[in-house]
Coordinates of all heavy atoms in Angstrom, one line a residue:
M1 N 23.0 -8.8 12.8 CA 21.7 -8.3 12.7 C 21.2 -7.9 14.1 O 21.4 -8.6 15.1 CB 20.8 -9.4 12.1 CG 19.5 -8.9 11.6 SD 18.4 -10.3 11.0 CE 17.5 -10.7 12.5
A2 N 20.4 -6.8 14.2 CA 19.9 -6.4 15.5 C 18.8 -7.3 15.9 O 18.0 -7.8 15.1 CB 19.3 -5.0 15.3
V3 N 18.8 -7.6 17.2 CA 17.8 -8.5 17.8 C 17.0 -7.7 18.9 O 17.7 -7.0 19.7 CB 18.4 -9.7 18.5 CG1 17.4 -10.6 19.1 CG2 19.3 -10.5 17.4
P4 N 15.7 -7.7 18.9 CA 14.9 -7.0 19.9 C 15.2 -7.5 21.3 O 15.3 -8.7 21.5 CB 13.5 -7.2 19.5 CG 13.5 -8.2 18.4 CD 14.9 -8.4 17.9
R5 N 15.4 -6.6 22.3 CA 15.8 -6.9 23.6 C 14.7 -7.5 24.4 O 14.9 -8.4 25.2 CB 16.4 -5.7 24.4 CG 17.8 -5.4 23.9 CD 18.3 -4.1 24.6 NE 18.5 -4.3 26.0 CZ 18.7 -3.4 26.9 NH1 18.7 -2.1 26.5 NH2 18.9 -3.6 28.1
H6 N 13.5 -7.0 24.2 CA 12.4 -7.5 25.0 C 11.2 -7.7 24.1 O 11.1 -7.1 23.0 CB 12.0 -6.4 26.0 CG 13.0 -6.1 27.0 ND1 13.4 -7.0 28.0 CD2 13.8 -5.0 27.2 CE1 14.4 -6.5 28.7 NE2 14.7 -5.3 28.2
K7 N 10.3 -8.5 24.5 CA 9.1 -8.8 23.8 C 8.2 -7.5 23.9 O 8.0 -6.9 25.0 CB 8.3 -10.0 24.4 CG 7.0 -10.2 23.7 CD 6.1 -11.2 24.4 CE 4.8 -11.3 23.7 NZ 4.0 -12.5 24.0
H8 N 7.6 -7.1 22.8 CA 6.7 -6.0 22.8 C 5.3 -6.6 23.0 O 4.8 -7.4 22.2 CB 6.7 -5.2 21.5 CG 8.0 -4.6 21.3 ND1 8.2 -3.2 21.3 CD2 9.3 -5.1 21.1 CE1 9.4 -2.9 21.1 NE2 10.1 -4.0 20.9
T9 N 4.6 -6.3 24.1 CA 3.3 -6.8 24.4 C 2.3 -6.2 23.4 O 2.5 -5.1 22.9 CB 2.8 -6.5 25.8 OG1 2.8 -5.1 26.0 CG2 3.8 -7.1 26.8
R10 N 1.2 -6.8 23.2 CA 0.1 -6.3 22.4 C -0.3 -4.9 22.9 O -0.7 -4.0 22.1 CB -1.1 -7.2 22.3 CG -0.8 -8.4 21.5 CD -2.0 -9.3 21.5 NE -1.7 -10.6 20.8 CZ -2.6 -11.4 20.4 NH1 -3.8 -11.2 20.6 NH2 -2.2 -12.5 19.8
S11 N -0.4 -4.8 24.2 CA -0.8 -3.5 24.8 C 0.1 -2.4 24.4 O -0.3 -1.3 24.0 CB -0.9 -3.7 26.3 OG -1.0 -2.4 26.9
S12 N 1.4 -2.6 24.6 CA 2.4 -1.5 24.3 C 2.4 -1.2 22.8 O 2.6 0.0 22.4 CB 3.8 -1.8 24.9 OG 4.3 -3.0 24.2
V13 N 2.3 -2.2 22.0 CA 2.3 -2.0 20.5 C 1.0 -1.2 20.2 O 1.1 -0.2 19.4 CB 2.3 -3.3 19.8 CG1 1.9 -3.1 18.3 CG2 3.6 -4.0 19.9
G14 N -0.1 -1.6 20.8 CA -1.3 -0.8 20.6 C -1.3 0.6 21.0 O -1.8 1.5 20.3
Q15 N -0.7 0.8 22.2 CA -0.5 2.2 22.7 C 0.3 3.0 21.8 O 0.1 4.2 21.6 CB 0.1 2.2 24.1 CG -1.0 1.8 25.2 CD -0.3 1.7 26.5 OE1 0.7 2.2 26.8 NE2 -1.0 1.0 27.4
R16 N 1.4 2.4 21.2 CA 2.2 3.2 20.3 C 1.5 3.5 19.0 O 1.6 4.6 18.5 CB 3.5 2.4 20.0 CG 4.5 3.1 19.1 CD 5.8 2.3 18.9 NE 5.5 1.2 18.1 CZ 5.8 -0.1 18.4 NH1 6.3 -0.3 19.6 NH2 5.6 -1.1 17.7
R17 N 0.7 2.6 18.6 CA 0.0 2.8 17.3 C -1.3 3.5 17.4 O -2.0 3.7 16.4 CB -0.3 1.4 16.6 CG 1.0 0.7 16.2 CD 0.7 -0.6 15.6 NE 2.0 -1.3 15.3 CZ 2.0 -2.6 14.9 NH1 0.9 -3.3 14.8 NH2 3.2 -3.1 14.6
M18 N -1.8 3.9 18.6 CA -3.1 4.5 18.7 C -3.1 5.9 18.0 O -4.2 6.4 17.7 CB -3.5 4.7 20.2 CG -2.9 5.8 21.0 SD -3.6 5.8 22.6 CE -2.2 6.4 23.5
H19 N -2.0 6.5 17.7 CA -2.0 7.8 17.0 C -1.8 7.6 15.5 O -1.8 8.6 14.8 CB -0.9 8.7 17.6 CG -1.0 8.9 19.0 ND1 -2.0 9.7 19.6 CD2 -0.2 8.4 20.1 CE1 -1.8 9.7 20.9 NE2 -0.8 8.9 21.2
I20 N -1.7 6.3 15.1 CA -1.5 6.1 13.6 C -2.8 5.8 13.0 O -3.4 4.7 13.2 CB -0.5 4.9 13.4 CG1 0.8 5.2 14.1 CG2 -0.3 4.7 11.9 CD1 1.8 4.0 14.1
F21 N -3.4 6.7 12.3 CA -4.7 6.5 11.7 C -4.9 7.6 10.6 O -4.2 8.6 10.6 CB -5.9 6.5 12.6 CG -6.0 7.8 13.5 CD1 -6.7 8.9 13.0 CD2 -5.4 7.8 14.7 CE1 -6.7 10.0 13.8 CE2 -5.5 8.9 15.5 CZ -6.1 10.0 15.0
I22 N -5.8 7.4 9.7 CA -6.1 8.3 8.6 C -7.2 9.2 9.0 O -8.3 8.7 9.5 CB -6.4 7.6 7.3 CG1 -5.1 6.8 6.9 CG2 -6.8 8.6 6.2 CD1 -5.4 5.8 5.8
N23 N -7.0 10.5 9.0 CA -8.1 11.4 9.3 C -9.2 11.4 8.2 O -8.8 11.3 7.0 CB -7.6 12.8 9.5 CG -6.8 13.0 10.8 OD1 -7.2 12.4 11.8 ND2 -5.7 13.7 10.7
P24 N -10.5 11.5 8.5 CA -11.5 11.6 7.5 C -11.3 12.9 6.8 O -11.0 13.9 7.3 CB -12.8 11.5 8.3 CG -12.4 11.9 9.7 CD -11.0 11.5 9.9
V25 N -11.6 12.9 5.4 CA -11.5 14.1 4.6 C -12.6 15.0 4.9 O -13.8 14.6 4.9 CB -11.5 13.7 3.1 CG1 -11.3 14.9 2.2 CG2 -10.4 12.7 2.8
A26 N -12.3 16.3 5.2 CA -13.4 17.3 5.4 C -14.0 17.7 4.1 O -13.2 18.1 3.2 CB -12.8 18.5 6.2
L27 N -15.3 17.6 3.9 CA -15.9 17.9 2.7 C -16.9 19.0 2.9 O -17.6 19.1 3.9 CB -16.6 16.7 2.1 CG -15.7 15.6 1.5 CD1 -16.5 14.4 1.1 CD2 -14.8 16.1 0.4
A28 N -17.0 19.9 1.9 CA -18.1 20.9 1.9 C -19.1 20.5 0.8 O -18.8 19.7 0.0 CB -17.5 22.3 1.6
T29 N -20.3 21.2 0.9 CA -21.2 20.9 -0.2 C -21.3 22.0 -1.2 O -21.2 23.2 -0.8 CB -22.7 20.7 0.4 OG1 -22.9 21.9 1.2 CG2 -22.8 19.5 1.2
C30 N -21.4 21.7 -2.5 CA -21.5 22.7 -3.5 C -22.8 23.4 -3.4 O -23.8 22.8 -3.2 CB -21.4 22.0 -4.9 SG -21.6 23.1 -6.3
K31 N -22.7 24.8 -3.4 CA -23.9 25.6 -3.3 C -24.9 25.5 -4.5 O -26.0 25.7 -4.4 CB -23.6 27.0 -3.0 CG -23.1 27.3 -1.6 CD -22.8 28.7 -1.3 CE -22.2 28.8 0.2 NZ -21.7 30.1 0.4
K32 N -24.3 25.2 -5.6 CA -25.1 25.1 -6.8 C -25.8 23.8 -7.0 O -27.0 23.7 -7.2 CB -24.2 25.5 -8.1 CG -25.0 25.5 -9.4 CD -24.5 26.5 -10.3 CE -25.1 26.4 -11.7 NZ -26.5 26.8 -11.7
C33 N -25.0 22.7 -6.9 CA -25.5 21.4 -7.2 C -25.7 20.5 -6.0 O -26.3 19.5 -6.1 CB -24.7 20.7 -8.3 SG -23.1 20.2 -7.8
G34 N -25.1 20.9 -4.9 CA -25.3 20.1 -3.6 C -24.4 18.9 -3.5 O -24.6 18.2 -2.5
R35 N -23.5 18.7 -4.4 CA -22.6 17.6 -4.2 C -21.5 17.9 -3.2 O -21.2 19.0 -2.9 CB -21.9 17.3 -5.6 CG -22.7 16.7 -6.6 CD -22.0 15.4 -7.0 NE -22.8 14.7 -8.0 CZ -22.3 13.9 -8.9 NH1 -21.0 13.8 -9.0 NH2 -23.0 13.3 -9.8
A36 N -20.9 16.8 -2.7 CA -19.8 16.9 -1.7 C -18.5 17.3 -2.5 O -18.2 16.6 -3.4 CB -19.6 15.7 -0.9
V37 N -17.9 18.4 -2.1 CA -16.7 18.8 -2.8 C -15.6 19.2 -1.7 O -15.9 19.5 -0.6 CB -16.9 20.1 -3.6 CG1 -16.9 19.8 -5.1 CG2 -18.1 20.9 -3.2
K38 N -14.3 19.1 -2.1 CA -13.3 19.5 -1.2 C -13.4 21.1 -1.1 O -13.7 21.8 -2.0 CB -11.9 19.2 -1.9 CG -11.4 17.8 -1.7 CD -10.0 17.7 -2.3 CE -9.4 16.4 -2.0 NZ -8.1 16.4 -2.6
P39 N -13.1 21.6 0.1 CA -13.2 23.0 0.3 C -12.2 23.8 -0.5 O -11.1 23.3 -0.7 CB -13.0 23.2 1.8 CG -12.5 21.9 2.3 CD -12.9 20.9 1.4
H40 N -12.5 25.0 -0.9 CA -11.6 25.8 -1.7 C -11.2 25.3 -3.1 O -10.2 25.5 -3.6 CB -10.3 26.2 -1.0 CG -10.6 26.7 0.4 ND1 -11.2 27.9 0.7 CD2 -10.4 26.2 1.6 CE1 -11.3 28.1 2.0 NE2 -10.9 27.0 2.6
T41 N -12.1 24.4 -3.6 CA -11.8 23.9 -5.0 C -13.1 24.0 -5.8 O -14.2 24.1 -5.3 CB -11.5 22.4 -5.0 OG1 -12.4 21.7 -4.2 CG2 -10.1 22.2 -4.3
I42 N -12.9 24.1 -7.1 CA -14.0 24.2 -8.1 C -14.8 22.8 -8.1 O -14.2 21.8 -8.1 CB -13.5 24.5 -9.5 CG1 -12.7 25.8 -9.5 CG2 -14.6 24.5 -10.5 CD1 -11.9 26.1 -10.7
C43 N -16.1 22.9 -8.1 CA -16.9 21.7 -8.2 C -16.7 21.1 -9.5 O -16.9 21.7 -10.6 CB -18.4 22.1 -8.0 SG -19.5 20.7 -8.1
S44 N -16.4 19.8 -9.5 CA -16.1 19.1 -10.8 C -17.4 18.7 -11.5 O -17.5 18.4 -12.6 CB -15.3 17.8 -10.5 OG -15.9 17.0 -9.6
N45 N -18.6 18.7 -10.7 CA -19.8 18.4 -11.3 C -20.4 19.5 -12.1 O -20.9 19.3 -13.3 CB -20.8 17.9 -10.2 CG -22.1 17.4 -10.8 OD1 -22.1 16.6 -11.7 ND2 -23.2 17.8 -10.2
C46 N -20.4 20.7 -11.6 CA -21.1 21.8 -12.3 C -20.1 22.9 -12.7 O -20.4 23.8 -13.5 CB -22.2 22.5 -11.4 SG -21.6 23.2 -9.9
G47 N -18.8 22.9 -12.2 CA -17.8 23.8 -12.6 C -17.9 25.2 -11.9 O -17.3 26.1 -12.4
Y48 N -18.7 25.3 -10.9 CA -18.8 26.6 -10.2 C -18.0 26.7 -9.0 O -17.7 25.7 -8.3 CB -20.3 26.7 -9.8 CG -21.2 27.3 -10.8 CD1 -21.5 26.7 -12.0 CD2 -21.7 28.6 -10.7 CE1 -22.2 27.2 -13.0 CE2 -22.5 29.2 -11.7 CZ -22.8 28.5 -12.8 OH -23.6 29.0 -13.8
Y49 N -17.5 27.9 -8.7 CA -16.8 28.2 -7.5 C -17.2 29.6 -7.0 O -17.1 30.6 -7.8 CB -15.3 28.1 -7.7 CG -14.5 28.4 -6.5 CD1 -14.4 27.5 -5.4 CD2 -13.7 29.6 -6.3 CE1 -13.7 27.8 -4.3 CE2 -13.0 29.8 -5.2 CZ -13.0 28.9 -4.2 OH -12.3 29.2 -3.1
K50 N -17.6 29.8 -5.8 CA -18.0 31.1 -5.2 C -19.1 31.7 -6.0 O -19.1 32.9 -6.3 CB -16.8 32.0 -5.1 CG -15.9 31.7 -3.9 CD -15.0 32.8 -3.6 CE -14.2 32.6 -2.3 NZ -13.3 33.7 -2.1
G51 N -20.0 30.9 -6.5 CA -21.2 31.4 -7.3 C -20.9 31.8 -8.7 O -21.8 32.3 -9.4
K52 N -19.7 31.6 -9.2 CA -19.3 31.9 -10.6 C -19.0 30.7 -11.3 O -18.3 29.8 -10.7 CB -18.2 32.9 -10.6 CG -18.5 34.3 -10.2 CD -17.3 35.2 -10.4 CE -17.6 36.6 -9.9 NZ -16.4 37.4 -10.0
E53 N -19.3 30.6 -12.6 CA -18.9 29.5 -13.4 C -17.4 29.6 -13.8 O -17.0 30.6 -14.5 CB -19.7 29.4 -14.7 CG -19.4 28.1 -15.4 CD -20.3 27.9 -16.7 OE1 -21.1 28.9 -17.0 OE2 -20.3 26.8 -17.2
M54 N -16.6 28.7 -13.4 CA -15.1 28.8 -13.6 C -14.7 27.8 -14.8 O -13.8 28.1 -15.6 CB -14.3 28.4 -12.4 CG -14.6 29.2 -11.2 SD -14.0 30.9 -11.5 CE -14.4 31.7 -10.0
I55 N -15.4 26.7 -14.9 CA -15.1 25.7 -15.9 C -16.4 25.4 -16.7 O -17.5 25.2 -16.0 CB -14.6 24.4 -15.4 CG1 -13.3 24.7 -14.6 CG2 -14.3 23.4 -16.5 CD1 -12.8 23.4 -13.8
N56 N -16.4 25.4 -18.0 CA -17.6 25.0 -18.8 C -17.5 23.5 -18.8 O -16.8 22.9 -19.6 CB -17.6 25.6 -20.2 CG -18.8 25.3 -20.9 OD1 -19.8 24.7 -20.3 ND2 -18.9 25.7 -22.1
V57 N -18.3 22.9 -17.9 CA -18.3 21.4 -17.8 C -19.0 20.7 -19.0 O -18.6 19.6 -19.4 CB -19.0 21.0 -16.5 CG1 -18.9 19.5 -16.3 CG2 -18.4 21.7 -15.3
M58 N -19.9 21.5 -19.6 CA -20.7 20.9 -20.7 C -19.9 20.7 -22.0 O -20.3 20.0 -22.8 CB -21.9 21.7 -20.9 CG -22.8 21.9 -19.8 SD -23.5 20.4 -19.3 CE -24.5 20.9 -17.9
A59 N -18.8 21.5 -22.1 CA -18.1 21.6 -23.4 C -17.6 20.2 -23.9 O -17.6 19.9 -25.1 CB -17.0 22.6 -23.3
K60 N -17.1 19.4 -23.0 CA -16.5 18.1 -23.3 C -17.4 16.9 -23.4 O -17.0 15.8 -23.7 CB -15.3 17.8 -22.4 CG -14.0 18.6 -22.8 CD -12.9 18.1 -22.0 CE -11.6 18.7 -22.4 NZ -10.4 18.2 -21.6
L61 N -18.7 17.2 -23.0 CA -19.6 16.1 -22.9 C -20.3 15.8 -24.2 O -20.4 16.7 -25.1 CB -20.7 16.3 -21.8 CG -20.2 16.6 -20.4 CD1 -21.4 16.9 -19.5 CD2 -19.5 15.3 -19.8
T62 N -20.8 14.6 -24.4 CA -21.6 14.2 -25.6 C -23.0 14.7 -25.3 O -23.4 15.1 -24.2 CB -21.6 12.7 -25.8 OG1 -22.2 12.1 -24.7 CG2 -20.2 12.2 -26.0
K63 N -23.8 14.7 -26.4 CA -25.2 15.2 -26.3 C -26.0 14.5 -25.2 O -26.7 15.1 -24.4 CB -25.9 15.0 -27.7 CG -26.8 16.2 -28.0 CD -27.4 15.9 -29.4 CE -28.3 17.1 -29.8 NZ -28.9 16.9 -31.1
K64 N -25.9 13.2 -25.2 CA -26.6 12.4 -24.2 C -26.2 12.7 -22.8 O -27.0 12.9 -21.9 CB -26.3 10.9 -24.4 CG -27.6 10.0 -24.5 CD -27.2 8.6 -24.7 CE -28.4 7.8 -25.0 NZ -28.1 6.4 -25.2
E65 N -24.9 12.8 -22.5 CA -24.3 13.2 -21.2 C -24.8 14.6 -20.8 O -25.1 14.8 -19.6 CB -22.8 13.1 -21.2 CG -22.3 11.6 -21.3 CD -20.8 11.5 -21.5 OE1 -20.2 12.5 -22.1 OE2 -20.2 10.5 -21.1
K66 N -24.8 15.5 -21.8 CA -25.2 16.9 -21.5 C -26.7 16.9 -20.9 O -26.9 17.6 -19.9 CB -25.2 17.7 -22.8 CG -23.9 18.5 -23.0 CD -24.1 19.4 -24.2 CE -22.7 19.9 -24.6 NZ -22.8 20.7 -25.8
K67 N -27.6 16.1 -21.6 CA -28.9 16.1 -21.1 C -29.0 15.6 -19.7 O -29.7 16.2 -18.8 CB -29.8 15.1 -22.0 CG -30.6 15.9 -23.0 CD -31.5 14.9 -23.7 CE -32.5 15.6 -24.5 NZ -33.4 14.6 -25.2
V68 N -28.3 14.5 -19.4 CA -28.4 14.0 -18.0 C -27.8 15.0 -17.0 O -28.4 15.2 -15.9 CB -27.5 12.7 -17.9 CG1 -27.5 12.1 -16.5 CG2 -28.1 11.6 -18.9
R69 N -26.7 15.6 -17.3 CA -26.1 16.6 -16.4 C -27.0 17.8 -16.2 O -27.1 18.2 -15.0 CB -24.7 17.0 -17.0 CG -23.9 17.9 -16.1 CD -23.4 17.1 -14.8 NE -22.5 16.0 -15.1 CZ -21.2 16.2 -15.2 NH1 -20.6 17.3 -15.2 NH2 -20.4 15.1 -15.4
E70 N -27.6 18.3 -17.2 CA -28.5 19.5 -17.1 C -29.6 19.1 -16.2 O -30.1 19.9 -15.4 CB -28.9 19.9 -18.5 CG -27.9 20.8 -19.2 CD -28.3 21.1 -20.6 OE1 -29.4 20.6 -21.1 OE2 -27.5 21.8 -21.3
K71 N -30.2 17.9 -16.3 CA -31.3 17.5 -15.5 C -30.9 17.4 -14.0 O -31.6 17.9 -13.2 CB -31.7 16.1 -16.0 CG -33.2 15.9 -15.9 CD -33.6 14.5 -16.4 CE -35.0 14.3 -16.6 NZ -35.4 12.9 -17.0
E72 N -29.7 16.9 -13.8 CA -29.2 16.8 -12.4 C -29.1 18.2 -11.8 O -29.5 18.4 -10.6 CB -27.8 16.1 -12.4 CG -27.8 14.6 -12.4 CD -26.4 14.0 -12.4 OE1 -25.5 14.8 -12.3 OE2 -26.3 12.8 -12.6
I73 N -28.5 19.1 -12.5 CA -28.3 20.4 -12.0 C -29.6 21.2 -11.7 O -29.8 21.8 -10.7 CB -27.4 21.3 -12.9 CG1 -25.9 20.7 -12.9 CG2 -27.3 22.7 -12.5 CD1 -25.0 21.3 -14.0
K74 N -30.6 21.0 -12.6 CA -31.9 21.6 -12.4 C -32.6 21.1 -11.2 O -33.1 21.9 -10.4 CB -32.7 21.4 -13.7 CG -32.6 22.4 -14.7 CD -33.6 22.3 -15.8 CE -33.5 23.3 -16.9 NZ -34.4 23.1 -18.0
E75 N -32.5 19.8 -11.0 CA -33.1 19.2 -9.8 C -32.5 19.7 -8.5 O -33.2 20.0 -7.5 CB -33.1 17.7 -9.9 CG -34.1 17.0 -10.8 CD -34.1 15.5 -10.8 OE1 -33.5 14.9 -9.8 OE2 -34.5 14.9 -11.7
A76 N -31.2 19.8 -8.6 CA -30.4 20.3 -7.4 C -30.8 21.7 -7.1 O -30.9 22.1 -5.9 CB -28.9 20.1 -7.6
E77 N -31.0 22.5 -8.1 CA -31.4 23.9 -7.9 C -32.8 24.0 -7.3 O -33.0 24.9 -6.5 CB -31.3 24.7 -9.2 CG -29.9 25.1 -9.6 CD -29.8 25.8 -10.9 OE1 -30.8 25.9 -11.6 OE2 -28.7 26.3 -11.2
K78 N -33.6 23.1 -7.7 CA -35.0 23.1 -7.2 C -35.0 22.8 -5.7 O -35.7 23.4 -4.9 CB -35.9 22.1 -7.9 CG -36.5 22.6 -9.2 CD -37.4 21.6 -9.8 CE -37.9 22.0 -11.1 NZ -38.7 20.9 -11.8
N79 N -34.1 21.9 -5.3 CA -34.1 21.5 -3.9 C -33.5 22.6 -3.0 O -33.9 22.7 -1.9 CB -33.2 20.2 -3.8 CG -33.9 19.0 -4.4 OD1 -35.1 19.0 -4.5 ND2 -33.2 18.0 -4.8
N80 N -32.6 23.4 -3.6 CA -32.0 24.5 -2.8 C -32.9 25.7 -2.7 O -33.8 26.1 -2.7 CB -30.7 24.9 -3.4 CG -29.6 23.8 -3.2 OD1 -29.8 23.0 -2.3 ND2 -28.6 23.8 -4.0
Ligands
ZN1 ZN1 -21.5 21.8 -8.1

């Protein structure tokens, strides 16, 4: 079995690992509803991309969920 030749100090270990980290995800805001979305993707909240409706988000929701979602979108449009 391989045995390490020298002790790795905390400093040298830290210096090696200083480049090992996770970059924060860059997010854009949806122009319709104002939610944080990944750039170049359809908004999962309202289904819009580049000002056009790409997915009908309301189709799969129940009546109660539809009401809540419509209210959220209306409020977001008012703020914009
Ligand atoms: Zn949206």
